[in-house]
């Protein structure tokens, strides 16, 4: 079983946002900076957890947000928080190691703290397939 399926969202959030860790806040700021600058029409977030940073997506500009995560509970939380937005919220519960991302021509792709947990070369190849020449990719390791 993938270890991420055993981590309750509350435990994850408590650890990541602890002031000695400060990763949730840092990732949020990075994501915010990119969506504010790029103003993407389409966004793909790999390992999206509960939608950290989605509050910065301008739903008057962005038309579709695709979030991918292996943990359904995380996606349920994300859906609860953001399903009232004007963009299409397409949340996909899948193991990115074994399944393909069946979507193309995404303006902005974010992959923050996910490459550590998968075959990173294989994931980068999958990411390349969803990009076109003008796509922007945010990678945080
Ligand atoms: C450290 S968190 C990512 C942090 C998040 N990107 C952010 O900006 O706050 C890693 C996430 O990747 C997900 N994940 C780990 N392995 C995965 C896999 N094989 N397929 C899909 N999601 C995976 C976990 O469930 C978890 O939500």
């Amino acid at each position: 079983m993938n270890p991420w399926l055993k981590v309750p969202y509350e435990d994850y959030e408590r650890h990541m946002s602890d002031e000695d860790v400060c990763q949730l806040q840092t990732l949020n700021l990075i994501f915010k900076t990119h969506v504010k600058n790029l103003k993407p029409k389409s966004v793909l977030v790999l390992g999206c957890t509960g939608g950290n940073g989605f509050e910065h997506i301008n739903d008057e500009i962005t038309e579709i947000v695709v979030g991918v995560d292996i943990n359904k509970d995380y996606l349920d939380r994300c859906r609860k928080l953001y399903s009232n937005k004007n963009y299409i919220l397409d949340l996909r519960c899948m193991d990115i190691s074994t399944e393909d991302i069946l979507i193309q021509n995404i303006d902005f792709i974010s992959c923050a703290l996910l490459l550590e947990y998968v075959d990173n070369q294989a994931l980068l190849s999958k990411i390349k397939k969803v990009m076109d020449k003008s796509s922007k990719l945010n990678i945080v390791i």
Side-chain angles (χ1 to χ4, degrees):
M1 186 200 261
N2 187 297
W4 279 97
L5 298 176
K6 298 181 196 155
V7 183
Y9 184 78
E10 292 70 27
D11 292 354
Y12 168 78
E13 188 177 64
R14 194 179 316 111
H15 167 73
M16 291 286 282
S17 61
D18 185 281
E19 63 179 25
D20 291 331
V21 179
C22 205
Q23 290 195 352
L24 212 68
Q25 299 88 325
T26 305
L27 294 171
N28 188 294
L29 182 61
I30 293 169
F31 188 81
K32 175 184 176 182
T33 304
H34 290 312
V35 291
K36 295 279 175 207
N37 287 340
L38 295 170
K39 302 181 175 45
K41 285 209 168 143
S42 52
V43 175
L44 169 65
V45 184
L46 300 169
C48 67
T49 61
N52 184 23
F54 282 26
E55 69 272 25
H56 305 301
I57 299 172
N58 184 338
D59 65 356
E60 288 176 7
I61 295 171
T62 299
E63 295 166 2
I64 181 165
V65 177
V66 183
V68 169
D69 207 283
I70 197 168
N71 189 316
K72 184 182 172 299
D73 292 343
Y74 297 179
L75 294 177
D76 285 345
R77 183 184 182 279
C78 184
R79 189 173 292 107
K80 210 169 165 183
L81 288 174
Y82 299 108
S83 59
N84 63 342
K85 297 292 181 184
N86 282 329
Y87 50 70
I88 296 165
L89 182 63
D90 177 354
L91 297 177
R92 303 181 182 191
C93 187
M94 59 185 258
D95 183 346
I96 199 77
S97 304
T98 55
E99 294 175 66
D100 283 328
I101 316 159
L102 298 174
I103 193 164
Q104 284 181 322
N105 302 335
I106 297 288
D107 293 340
F108 173 55
I109 298 116
S110 185
C111 179
L113 300 193
L114 176 61
L115 286 170
E116 290 83 350
Y117 306 109
V118 296
D119 175 339
N120 52 52
Q121 289 305 316
L123 180 54
L124 287 169
S125 299
K126 287 182 187 183
I127 291 173
K128 199 172 167 193
K129 287 185 192 160
V130 308
M131 298 179 74
D132 64 20
K133 284 184 180 158
S134 61
S135 300
K136 301 288 186 287
L137 172 62
N138 170 46
I139 289 189
V140 180
I141 54 172

